[in-house]
């Protein structure tokens, strides 16, 4: 009994201590925000993005200092709550209308959490980097009104979440990839005013959510696919000003369609009567084609709409010979038929008048009961529509606004609908909005000048500061909900009259605000709290450690599973090995979680991979994975020693590789001795053998999926060991909402720069995807370059040099002299591995065989030195680790039997 209460006593003390510590730690971290920094990968990417831009107006000068998210870099918007990985991430990049020139850096592809990318209205040149397609969370991409050239990369077919795709008014050329039809969320597809050519893919009709399609003003040829009339939600289809031929699709278009424009093409045949009775059709333009035959007047007679909408039928300049059906024109319908043979018929000339000026819509005036014309308002003030009875002067916010692809062609009929749409979107009263002017522009686009007036509360004449900021944020942050009818919008300007200049100015220049003061005070307190917490921690650390183990053991609901050759570690053992997962023991970080260096009880040095919250998986899956990994043994693969599955933690324990990653040795920055060509070749051969084993000997075969230089580790003898295989299913890519997809197998995993373009596109994983990534590693070995750096893709770069006979200009000169014919053969092999076309790549077995051939071609002196160099004790060799993993007796034998050239490479083609 005494024992029990004594135990209880200890337990409860531990609980209290834990609770107190927890509270203190939470306080200190949340106030100090020590970890409130942007993901370093994204910071590097942003710097590279800036580097490739010219910024004549110095909009981006504040990108030179501080942290992108916490120092408010211009145009960078972040998620201000931390993600699972503890970092802040870039949510939006808004660099519109900034007079930027230069090119789009492929590093944009690293802002993987980004949802909105706005670069419209600049002078950007160059092509669209395929890396943009690596942005799985992108909702909106706008690069319109630039001078971008080149084709649309096929990788864009991966933009699974993209709703708004605006690339109009550039010089984009080439065939539009039919693969884009896989985009499930696409709503607005704007590619007008480019140099696109080739055919219109019929597959586009498969996009389930398309509302607005603008492909006008390009060089498309061939015919309009019949399938386009099946797009069920379509509001607007503009294919005008191309070189389309053939006939008009006979099918019936969407019931909601408002605009069909096929004008200025080379269409032939007759006009299908199916255009009749479409209830919302406002514009049907087939002008300037070679359409012939008889037109059925039912197209405009059979309207079933509310009759208040106008309907313009424009069939000018065709070969139409007659009109069938009744000829009296309904209200609000305009029919234009001049320039057709039928105009010689006296009875039809009513349709053949010359086109009246396309007048801009007049606005419905605001009704006023009192005449305020006598009232003179001070500058920047005008009579507010919110209080016309008393002729109140108030200061409006002035907004230049443009509907980029309105789903209507007559604004008058939509004005009141637009007013309520916009004011409710902005949370304003209907009478706070005055549309000062509207003007149709080329496109057609609708430009407006809006005035927003303060709410009539106590006859206030100005908005208060927070309201100004809120409204501006609604426009600049695209927070006004999308409207199907009004389509995408853009902000032209948001002008603050002198009245508001101070209001906004004070926010950015007033130095220390109250909020900041509070922050500083709290921060100071927090520092004190943390310091005392650290002292407290140190005192209690030893005592706590003992008790923790007891409590952890008791809380554990561990199912112990015996897997031959793999040890089952407790949480306590792992904590002990890493000094309680001390930061100083951290040696790396990956998608899966952190990697620690640890020393086990028996002195074995190990690498411990600890899954972070969010990449944990079900126990069954975890053990399946371990079971699989336990059966994989090869001298060129990093061995699994054990695992830990306790306390809601999942860890994998590997042999430790003291020489680090291949990447470390290739980077010039690291003060590592450069690798000779012979050593590089040997590393290439070793890695290839490891991967060949995974493909052909492991059962089931394992595709690595994430081969890269930082996943190739070097043992004390500089023998390459491939790491992280089989972890594919352990590291699902979390999406923005933090949820992890249920079927990871369909998620493209991998690292930009190493990704097989074909896998990327098809999501079909093959052994050739690994061949591609390995080819990239080979190119790194040869050139020392990163796969993507300074906006350049290694495959492209090396290919260009190779084609132009300049290959030796890109070879890493840090590896000293080398036999040029061997280097040349190696380059050739590497480039072959990186072919876009899967079938053109060699198999893994062929790669190994070719590398062996190159090895045999090497002058003996070179290979000898390598051998002696790497076995010479004390120089490059670290103290031997005692970590010889328990070999599994039923594992198939190491296929690379002898040291380097085995001669027993299996000739089986990989599955
Ligand atoms: C940066 O912007 C955020 C969000 O708009 C704001 O809360 C913060 O105070 C700003 N920080 C600075 C240093 O201006
Ligand atoms: C797009 O390009 C066309 C043709 O060059 C031009 O008429 C139109 O004004 C441009 N639109 C925008 C919004 O820049
Ligand atoms: C349409 O144009 C394409 C390509 O310009 C051509 O191959 C085809 O024969 C044309 N079809 C018709 C019906 O004129
Ligand atoms: C047509 O528009 C209405 C109103 O916006 C909508 O409820 C309906 O679902 C649309 N029809 C189709 C086929 O999308
Ligand atoms: C299309 O028609 C125009 C005008 O009739 C003609 O100049 C042009 O050659 C035609 N283009 C094609 C591809 O048929
Ligand atoms: C047009 O409406 C009339 C009368 O409702 C109907 O008889 C005729 O079939 C309709 N024509 C078409 C092409 O829908
Ligand atoms: C439609 O016609 C009626 C009668 O002429 C007219 O009053 C109304 O303004 C027209 N509607 C539009 C949108 O033009
Ligand atoms: C803002 O845009 C509107 C509409 O394009 C234009 O009329 C106005 O002059 C612009 N104002 C400024 C200050 O650029």
């Amino acid at each position: 009994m005494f024992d029990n209460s004594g135990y209880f006593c200890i337990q409860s003390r531990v609980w209290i201590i834990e609770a107190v510590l927890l509270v203190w730690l939470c306080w200190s971290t949340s106030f100090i925000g020590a970890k409130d920094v942007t993901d370093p990968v994204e910071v590097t990417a942003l710097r590279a993005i800036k580097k490739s831009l010219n910024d004549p107006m110095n909009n981006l000068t504040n990108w030179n200092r501080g942290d992108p998210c916490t120092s408010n870099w211009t145009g960078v918007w972040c998620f201000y709550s931390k993600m699972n990985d503890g970092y802040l991430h870039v949510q939006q990049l808004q660099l519109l209308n900034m007079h930027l020139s230069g090119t789009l850096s492929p590093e944009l592809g690293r802002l993987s959490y980004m949802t909105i990318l706005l670069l419209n209205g600049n002078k950007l040149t160059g092509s669209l980097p395929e890396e943009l397609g690596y942005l799985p969370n992108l909702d909106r991409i706008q690069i319109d009104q630039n001078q971008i050239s080149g084709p649309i990369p096929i990788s864009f077919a991966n933009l699974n979440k993209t709703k708004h795709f605006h690339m109009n008014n550039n010089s984009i050329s080439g065939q539009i990839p039919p693969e884009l039809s896989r985009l499930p969320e696409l709503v607005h597809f704007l590619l007008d005013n480019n140099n696109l050519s080739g055919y219109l893919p019929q597959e586009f009709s498969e996009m389930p959510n398309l509302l607005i399609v603008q492909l006008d003003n390009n060089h498309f040829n061939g015919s309009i696919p019949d399938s386009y009339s099946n797009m069920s939600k379509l509001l607007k289809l503009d294919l005008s000003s191309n070189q389309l031929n053939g006939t008009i699709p006979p099918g019936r278009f969407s019931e909601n369609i408002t605009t069909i424009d096929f004008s200025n093409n080379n269409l032939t045949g007759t006009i299908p009567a199916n255009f009749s009775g479409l209830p919302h059709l406002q514009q049907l333009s087939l002008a300037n084609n070679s359409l012939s035959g008889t037109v059925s007047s039912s197209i405009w007679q059979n309207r079933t709409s509310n009759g208040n909408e106008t309907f313009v039928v424009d069939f000018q300049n065709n070969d139409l010979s007659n009109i069938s059906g009744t000829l009296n024109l309904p209200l609000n319908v305009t029919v234009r038929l001049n320039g057709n043979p039928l105009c010689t018929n006296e009875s039809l000339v009513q349709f053949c008048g010359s086109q009246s000026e396309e007048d801009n819509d007049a606005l419905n005036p605001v009704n006023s009961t009192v005449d305020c014309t006598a009232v003179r308002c001070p500058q920047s003030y005008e009579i507010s529509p919110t209080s016309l009875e008393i002729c109140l002067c108030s200061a409006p916010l002035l907004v230049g606004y443009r509907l980029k692809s309105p789903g209507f062609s007559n604004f008058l009929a939509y004005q009141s609908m637009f007013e309520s749409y916009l004011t409710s979107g902005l949370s304003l009263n209907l009478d706070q909005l005055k549309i000062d002017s509207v003007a149709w522009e080329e496109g057609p686009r609708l430009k407006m000048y809006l005035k927003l007036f303060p709410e009539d509360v106590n006859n206030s004449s100005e908005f208060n500061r927070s309201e100004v900021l809120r409204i501006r944020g609604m426009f600049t942050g695209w927070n006004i909900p999308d409207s199907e009818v009004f389509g995408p919008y853009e902000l032209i300007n948001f002008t603050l009259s002198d009245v508001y200049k101070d209001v906004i100015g004070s926010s950015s220049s007033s130095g220390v605000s109250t909020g900041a003061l509070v922050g500083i005070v709290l921060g100071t307190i927090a520092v004190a709290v943390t310091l005392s917490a650290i002292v407290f921690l140190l005192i209690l650390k030893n005592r706590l450690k003992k008790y923790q183990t007891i409590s952890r053991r008791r809380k554990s609901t561990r199912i112990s599973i015996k897997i031959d050759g793999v040890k089952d570690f407790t949480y306590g053992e792992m904590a002990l090995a890493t000094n309680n997962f001390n930061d100083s023991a951290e040696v790396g970080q990956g998608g899966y979680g952190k990697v620690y260096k640890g020393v086990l009880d028996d002195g074995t040095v190990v690498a411990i991979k600890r899954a972070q919250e969010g990449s944990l998986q079900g126990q069954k899956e975890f053990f399946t994975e371990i079971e699989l990994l336990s059966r994989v043994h090869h001298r060129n693969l990093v061995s699994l020693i054990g695992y830990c599955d306790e306390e809601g933690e999942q860890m994998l324990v590997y042999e430790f590789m003291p020489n680090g990653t291949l990447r470390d040795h290739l980077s010039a920055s690291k003060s590592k001795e450069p690798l000779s060509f012979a050593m590089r070749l040997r590393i290439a051969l070793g890695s290839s053998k490891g991967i060949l084993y995974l493909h052909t000997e492991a059962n089931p075969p394992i595709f690595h999926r994430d081969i890269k230089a930082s996943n190739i580790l070097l043992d004390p003898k500089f023998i390459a060991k491939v790491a992280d295989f089989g972890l594919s299913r352990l590291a699902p890519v979390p999406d923005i909402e933090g949820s992890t997809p249920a079927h990871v197998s369909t998620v493209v995993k991998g690292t930009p720069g190493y990704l097989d373009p074909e896998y990327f596109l098809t999501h079909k994983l093959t052994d050739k995807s690994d061949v591609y990534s390995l080819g990239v590693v080979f190119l790194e070995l040869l050139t020392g370059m990163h796969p993507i750096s300074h906006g350049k893709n290694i495959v492209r770069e090396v290919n260009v040099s190779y084609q132009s006979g300049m290959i030796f200009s890109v070879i890493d000169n840090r590896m000293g002299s080398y036999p040029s014919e061997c280097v040349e053969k190696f380059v050739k092999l590497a480039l072959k591995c990186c072919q876009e076309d899967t079938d053109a790549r060699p198999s893994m077995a062929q790669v190994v065989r070719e590398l062996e051939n190159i090895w045999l071609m090497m002058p003996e002196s070179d290979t000898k030195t390598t051998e002696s160099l790497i076995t010479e004790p004390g120089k490059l060799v670290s103290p031997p680790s005692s970590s010889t993993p328990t070999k599994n007796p039923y594992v198939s034998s190491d296929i690379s039997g002898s040291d380097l050239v085995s001669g027993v490479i299996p000739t089986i083609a990989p599955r």
Side-chain angles (χ1 to χ4, degrees):
M1 195 188 161
F2 274 126
D3 273 339
N4 271 349
S5 62
Y7 183 71
F8 175 77
C9 225
I10 291 169
Q11 279 293 83
S12 50
R13 263 170 59 202
V14 171
W15 278 111
I16 290 164
I17 290 163
E18 278 186 342
V20 168
L21 269 180
L22 200 69
V23 169
W24 284 21
L25 284 173
C26 287
W27 265 54
S28 49
T29 47
S30 67
F31 284 122
I32 286 186
K35 278 203 139 177
D36 274 354
V37 294
T38 310
D39 185 340
V41 171
E42 298 179 19
V43 180
T44 314
L46 286 169
R47 294 218 169 96
I49 291 163
K50 184 184 173 207
K51 220 167 165 185
S52 65
L53 296 174
N54 299 320
D55 175 26
M57 312 299 270
N58 293 320
N59 281 307
L60 308 180
T61 38
N62 65 0
W63 282 37
N64 296 332
R65 53 181 178 268
D67 180 86
C69 291
T70 56
S71 316
N72 288 6
W73 286 13
T74 303
V76 178
W77 303 53
C78 298
F79 289 101
Y80 283 101
S81 57
K82 278 180 273 183
M83 302 275 170
N84 286 335
D85 60 5
Y87 288 119
L88 301 176
H89 292 281
V90 176
Q91 181 193 26
Q92 306 186 11
L93 196 57
Q94 295 197 7
L95 304 177
L96 55 160
N97 303 321
M98 285 189 177
H99 303 93
L100 301 171
S101 56
T103 60
L104 296 167
S105 166
E107 297 275 317
L108 282 161
R110 295 198 183 239
L111 304 176
S112 50
Y113 289 81
M114 183 160 56
T115 60
I116 296 183
L117 174 62
L118 306 176
L119 293 164
N120 45 305
N122 288 297
K123 297 181 184 127
L124 301 173
T125 51
S127 56
L128 295 166
E130 66 172 59
E131 287 79 1
L132 281 176
Y134 302 158
L135 295 169
N137 293 305
L138 206 59
D139 170 273
R140 177 188 290 269
I141 176 167
Q142 274 186 233
I143 314 185
D144 46 298
Q145 300 176 65
N146 279 286
Q147 293 150 28
I148 300 291
S149 54
I152 298 171
I154 295 182
S155 65
F156 281 23
N158 257 335
L159 295 170
N160 271 341
K161 291 200 178 160
T162 301
K163 293 197 181 78
H164 305 277
F165 188 94
H166 303 181
M167 301 280 175
N168 53 281
N169 287 65
N170 279 289
S171 303
I172 300 171
S173 58
Q175 169 67 45
I176 191 167
E179 289 84 354
L180 293 183
S181 65
R182 297 210 200 98
L183 297 177
E185 299 290 339
L186 203 62
V187 172
H188 296 154
F189 190 38
L190 312 187
L191 273 164
D192 52 282
N193 292 292
N194 278 292
N195 293 334
L196 292 163
S197 55
Y199 63 96
L200 292 173
Q202 57 153 59
E203 295 91 337
F204 282 180
S205 65
E206 292 158 16
M207 284 187 266
N209 292 309
L210 265 187
L211 295 180
I212 295 179
V213 176
Q214 289 205 188
L215 299 172
D216 52 290
N217 291 287
N218 280 289
H219 308 299
F220 289 113
N221 59 32
S223 60
I224 301 172
D226 285 353
S227 63
Y228 283 17
S229 58
N230 304 334
M231 293 192 234
S232 64
K233 293 188 178 171
L234 207 60
L235 290 177
K236 181 171 179 180
L237 178 62
D238 192 342
L239 304 174
S240 62
S241 299
N242 281 290
Q243 287 146 26
L244 298 168
N245 63 12
T247 56
I248 292 172
R252 198 174 166 75
F253 283 83
S254 136
E255 59 163 313
N256 282 347
I257 200 150
T258 67
T259 309
I260 298 173
D261 193 344
F262 297 160
S263 60
N264 301 308
N265 281 292
N266 287 23
L267 300 172
T268 52
T270 56
I271 296 174
N274 254 333
F275 286 125
S276 92
L278 288 170
H280 299 288
L281 195 57
Q282 295 170 43
Q283 188 193 349
L284 174 61
S285 183
L286 306 173
N288 302 311
N289 280 289
S290 305
L291 299 164
S292 55
T294 299
V295 184
S296 165
S297 70
S298 69
I299 290 174
W300 56 85
Q301 297 293 353
N302 275 23
R303 294 183 77 211
T304 51
S305 74
N306 60 35
N308 203 22
E309 290 175 351
T310 55
F311 182 28
V312 176
V313 177
D314 189 348
F315 295 164
Q316 299 174 74
N317 302 318
N318 279 290
D319 275 325
L320 302 170
S321 54
N322 207 352
I323 300 177
S324 66
T326 18
L327 293 182
N328 21 343
L329 213 54
L331 279 179
N332 298 328
V333 171
T334 311
V335 178
R336 296 188 185 129
L337 287 168
N338 52 304
N340 281 288
L342 60 74
C343 287
T344 54
N345 183 333
E346 286 293 317
S347 62
L348 300 177
V349 285
Q350 50 162 324
F351 301 110
C352 296
S354 65
Q355 182 188 348
S356 62
E357 267 302 294
E358 188 115 17
D359 42 355
N360 277 320
D361 294 303
L363 288 167
N364 282 331
V366 182
N367 295 322
S368 173
T369 49
V370 182
D371 184 8
C372 293
T373 45
V375 180
R376 293 219 146 265
C377 289
Q379 202 189 352
S380 306
Y381 286 78
E382 35 186 293
I383 304 291
S384 167
T386 63
S387 47
L388 285 169
E389 336 51 72
I390 56 163
C391 300
L392 177 71
C393 289
S394 56
L397 304 175
L398 311 174
V399 185
Y401 181 89
R402 186 188 278 131
L403 296 177
K404 301 180 62 171
S405 183
F408 57 85
S409 50
N410 173 268
F411 182 64
L412 210 50
Y414 284 80
Q415 183 180 345
S416 59
M417 192 175 159
F418 176 76
E419 285 167 345
S420 42
Y421 153 72
L422 191 66
T423 49
S424 68
L426 290 167
S427 306
L428 296 175
N429 298 328
L430 193 54
D431 60 6
Q432 288 181 262
L433 168 70
K434 184 176 159 203
I435 303 175
D436 202 62
S437 66
V438 293
W440 284 99
E441 296 182 317
E442 198 83 29
R445 296 174 162 79
L446 189 62
K447 183 159 109 175
M448 305 186 202
Y449 202 31
L450 310 175
K451 291 182 174 170
L452 301 172
F453 288 85
E455 195 182 357
D456 179 22
V457 181
N458 304 323
N459 297 340
S460 65
S461 294
E462 295 99 19
F463 284 103
N464 63 30
R465 176 173 173 263
S466 66
E467 193 64 355
V468 173
L469 293 175
R470 184 187 71 80
I471 294 173
R472 190 169 67 163
M474 292 297 291
F475 281 103
T476 58
W478 263 267
N479 293 327
I480 304 169
D482 284 317
S483 152
E484 298 194 348
V485 175
F486 300 111
Y489 73 89
E490 70 187 318
L491 182 63
I492 301 170
N493 59 45
F494 190 95
T495 315
L496 292 170
S497 57
D498 296 338
V499 184
Y500 297 110
K501 281 261 154 64
D502 294 346
V503 169
I504 295 288
S506 67
S507 77
S508 50
S509 63
S510 75
V512 183
S513 68
T514 347
L517 262 180
V518 171
I520 290 168
V521 172
L522 286 177
T524 321
I525 296 173
V527 170
V529 167
T530 321
L531 282 178
S532 47
I534 291 171
V535 173
F536 188 63
L537 235 171
L538 286 175
I539 297 170
L540 283 177
K541 192 178 151 197
N542 285 332
R543 292 177 61 186
L544 207 55
K545 215 173 184 179
K546 239 187 284 167
Y547 296 134
Q548 261 178 351
T549 335
I550 302 170
S551 67
R552 286 198 194 277
R553 275 277 154 77
R554 285 174 58 82
K555 278 186 275 166
S556 150
T557 51
R558 198 151 56 92
I559 308 166
S560 186
I561 292 190
K562 271 248 80 54
I563 299 173
D564 282 337
V566 179
K567 258 183 93 173
D568 171 16
F569 292 100
T570 65
Y571 181 88
E573 283 170 305
M574 294 290 90
L576 205 63
T578 55
N579 198 7
N580 228 343
F581 299 101
N582 196 304
D583 282 351
S584 64
E586 200 182 312
V587 289
Q589 179 154 26
Y592 175 70
K594 289 183 172 169
V595 187
Y596 296 87
K597 179 182 179 178
V599 184
L600 298 180
D601 265 351
D602 62 358
T604 310
V605 186
V606 293
I608 298 173
K609 254 179 205 279
R610 184 190 196 192
Q612 68 197 3
E613 230 174 295
S615 39
L616 287 180
Q617 51 180 342
Q619 217 158 22
K620 191 160 161 275
E621 292 80 22
F622 185 61
F623 284 117
T624 312
E625 206 70 41
I626 292 168
E627 227 269 310
L628 190 136
L629 296 182
S630 73
R631 285 189 270 129
V632 173
H633 283 286
H634 184 275
R635 79 187 235 111
N636 294 113
L637 298 174
V638 176
S639 296
L640 184 72
I641 295 175
Y643 67 92
C644 167
D645 181 50
E646 216 184 358
E647 301 295 320
E649 294 256 11
Q650 290 175 345
M651 294 179 234
L652 294 170
V653 182
Y654 291 95
E655 55 176 327
F656 185 72
M657 291 293 132
N659 272 326
T661 74
L662 173 59
R663 188 62 253 169
D664 292 344
H665 287 270
L666 291 176
S667 300
S669 54
K670 299 277 158 101
S671 57
K672 298 241 158 87
E673 230 163 297
L675 303 168
S676 69
F677 178 69
M679 285 165 91
R680 294 182 194 215
L681 189 57
R682 196 179 131 107
I683 288 165
L685 184 52
S687 313
S688 309
K689 286 182 177 177
I691 292 156
L692 177 61
Y693 172 90
L694 287 177
H695 286 182
T696 55
E697 299 284 300
N699 185 18
I702 297 174
F703 296 140
H704 190 297
R705 291 187 182 205
D706 200 14
I707 296 172
K708 53 181 168 185
S710 55
N711 270 340
I712 292 176
L713 306 182
L714 300 173
D715 85 346
K717 292 183 172 181
F718 281 80
I719 289 173
K721 301 225 179 198
V722 180
D724 251 11
F725 49 87
L727 283 185
S728 39
R729 274 167 296 165
L730 292 178
V733 180
D735 61 13
I736 297 220
E737 289 81 25
S739 60
T740 41
H743 296 290
V744 186
S745 55
T746 61
V747 172
V748 174
K749 189 186 166 284
T751 305
Y754 292 97
L755 263 184
D756 168 10
E758 177 118 356
Y759 163 46
F760 193 67
L761 204 64
T762 59
H763 290 205
K764 263 190 226 130
L765 189 70
T766 67
D767 52 331
K768 294 290 182 72
S769 304
D770 280 352
V771 172
Y772 182 92
S773 312
L774 191 62
V776 176
V777 173
F778 291 172
L779 294 175
E780 285 181 84
L781 277 166
L782 281 158
T783 63
M785 292 197 277
H786 284 266
I788 299 175
S789 69
H790 306 300
K792 290 174 177 163
N793 176 301
I794 196 170
V795 179
R796 238 175 285 156
E797 288 299 298
V798 178
N799 243 324
V800 168
S801 311
Y802 184 73
Q803 304 295 340
S804 58
M806 302 281 290
I807 187 61
F808 292 105
S809 67
V810 294
I811 299 297
D812 191 356
N813 53 21
R814 284 173 302 146
M815 64 192 181
S817 65
Y818 45 77
S820 53
E821 69 284 5
C822 294
V823 167
E824 224 173 329
K825 276 201 152 20
F826 192 11
V827 171
K828 231 166 141 181
L829 174 67
L831 288 177
K832 208 157 177 226
C833 292
C834 295
Q835 294 275 333
E836 293 241 339
D837 178 12
T838 332
D839 295 332
R841 295 176 208 155
S843 70
M844 221 37 245
Q846 285 165 337
V847 171
V848 171
R849 213 171 298 135
E850 178 62 16
L851 284 171
E852 290 191 332
N853 287 338
I854 301 173
W855 184 260
L856 290 174
M857 274 171 63
M858 291 281 288
E860 210 161 285
S861 56
D862 281 13
T863 52
K864 277 271 156 48
T865 3
T866 311
E867 291 294 328
S868 62
L869 185 68
I870 56 183
T871 45
E872 184 187 313
K875 195 169 178 207
L876 286 169
V877 181
S878 305
S881 84
S882 55
S883 64
T884 22
T886 356
K887 282 264 177 184
N888 194 325
Y890 58 81
V891 158
S892 77
S893 62
D894 183 337
I895 58 161
S896 70
S898 79
D899 195 9
L900 270 167
V901 181
S902 61
V904 289
I905 303 301
T907 47
I908 341 153
R911 277 150 267 196

